[in-house]
């Protein structure tokens, strides 16, 4: 197998162990391979290993890879996970299957307006600034419910759940506490009648804690593709 295939297998085994340790079905957890900054060849290696779910953060880079790979419709699922400005909303609405980084209504409205009817609803998550960090994007926890209600009412979008990137910590208990706060927000939305089923949380260094607290999508890049080299 290729190194990327080996790494994918190792990450899937981590997810399986973490799920079984807390009594969850590993099949209920989707592994997203975060391919941002890696070229189409790296993505193709993951596809050849049987992987089909990819996360991107930079609009132009993502579209270039999608065009280069020319996968059959439905073969791959592309998730946009980076900050999104209004002037970049059109290609995201036209190319992506999911957006995890909705943090204000204006962006959601633009995506709804620009989503082609032929593609079906764009699946979206609200990004929550779960630790109230000044350097991170995301809606503040007290404002999640109001934004969720507004986004749920938009045509051509389907509100699926919440995403967060907690403050880094090496302490598993601190990791779990942050993920537990996001899970509690999801339960609040469910109690209010919103049909949310997704918790996008957990990365290479903390996926076990995220799985223990209910993650349904884990976003893993470095453990699959290696260290990133930013320009």
């Amino acid at each position: 197998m290729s190194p990327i295939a080996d790494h994918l297998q190792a990450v899937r085994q981590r997810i399986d162990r973490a799920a079984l340790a807390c009594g969850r079905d590993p099949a209920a957890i989707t592994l997203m391979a975060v391919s941002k900054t890696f070229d189409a060849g790296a993505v193709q290696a993951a596809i050849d290993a049987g992987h089909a779910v990819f996360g991107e953060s930079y609009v132009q880079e993502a579209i270039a890879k999608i065009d280069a790979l020319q996968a059959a419709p439905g073969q791959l699922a592309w998730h946009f996970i980076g900050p999104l400005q209004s002037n970049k909303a059109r290609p995201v609405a036209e190319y992506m299957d999911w957006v995890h980084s909705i943090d204000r209504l204006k962006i959601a409205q633009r995506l709804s307006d620009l989503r082609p009817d032929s593609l079906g609803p764009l699946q979206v998550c609200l990004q929550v600034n779960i630790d109230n960090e000044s350097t991170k994007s995301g809606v503040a926890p007290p404002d999640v419910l109001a934004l969720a209600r507004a986004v749920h009412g938009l045509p051509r979008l389907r509100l699926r759940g919440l995403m967060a990137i907690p403050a880094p910590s090496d302490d598993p208990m601190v990791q779990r506490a942050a993920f537990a706060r996001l899970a509690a927000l999801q339960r609040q939305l469910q109690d209010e009648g919103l049909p949310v089923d997704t918790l996008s949380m957990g990365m290479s260094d903390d996926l076990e804690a995220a799985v223990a607290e209910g993650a349904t999508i884990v976003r893993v890049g470095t453990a699959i593709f290696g260290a990133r080299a930013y320009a």
Side-chain angles (χ1 to χ4, degrees):
M1 292 193 297
S2 71
I4 287 175
D6 288 339
H7 296 163
L8 278 166
Q9 184 179 63
V11 173
R12 289 192 185 107
Q13 289 171 347
R14 287 176 60 190
I15 293 170
D16 289 353
R17 287 194 299 268
L20 294 172
C22 62
R24 296 186 62 197
D25 179 0
I29 302 158
T30 297
L31 170 59
M32 179 205 302
V34 179
S35 45
K36 67 177 183 180
T37 78
F38 294 96
D39 62 19
V43 176
Q44 186 63 58
I47 295 169
D48 292 343
H51 199 72
V53 182
F54 297 93
E56 294 284 337
S57 294
Y58 308 114
V59 176
Q60 290 176 312
E61 176 191 329
I63 303 312
K65 273 184 260 192
I66 294 170
D67 285 340
L69 290 162
Q70 290 291 307
Q75 180 183 350
L76 305 178
W78 292 96
H79 295 235
F80 190 79
I81 60 175
L84 181 58
Q85 302 301 318
S86 294
N87 63 348
K88 297 290 182 69
R90 182 178 296 277
V92 170
E94 293 177 347
Y95 276 80
M96 292 291 170
D97 301 295
W98 285 68
V99 176
H100 292 235
S101 48
I102 303 293
D103 61 0
R104 57 199 187 280
L105 184 56
K106 178 182 177 181
I107 289 295
Q109 289 172 327
R110 285 282 292 164
L111 291 170
S112 177
D113 291 344
L114 296 168
R115 180 70 169 177
D117 287 329
S118 61
L119 295 180
L122 180 64
Q123 314 296 302
V124 301
C125 293
L126 307 185
Q127 181 172 351
V128 182
N129 191 342
I130 200 67
D131 288 320
N132 296 307
E133 296 177 89
S134 61
T135 57
K136 281 187 182 164
S137 303
V139 59
D143 300 327
V144 168
L145 178 57
L147 181 59
R149 284 175 170 155
V151 172
H152 177 59
L154 293 172
R156 293 181 291 279
L157 299 187
R158 181 184 172 195
L159 178 65
R160 296 296 299 270
L162 304 175
M163 183 270 264
I165 307 171
S169 174
D170 294 329
D171 184 337
M173 297 308 295
V174 173
Q175 295 171 357
R176 286 193 62 168
F179 295 134
R181 292 195 294 276
L182 193 71
L185 285 172
Q186 184 198 39
R187 289 192 295 273
Q188 180 188 2
L189 300 186
Q190 291 169 338
D191 289 344
E192 292 292 330
L194 291 164
V196 290
D197 60 7
T198 299
L199 281 173
S200 172
M201 59 188 195
M203 299 187 290
S204 294
D205 293 334
D206 58 9
L207 70 84
E208 285 84 1
V211 168
E213 295 298 336
T216 60
I217 298 176
V218 294
R219 310 179 307 271
V220 179
T222 302
I224 295 171
F225 295 107
R228 292 188 179 88
Y230 291 96

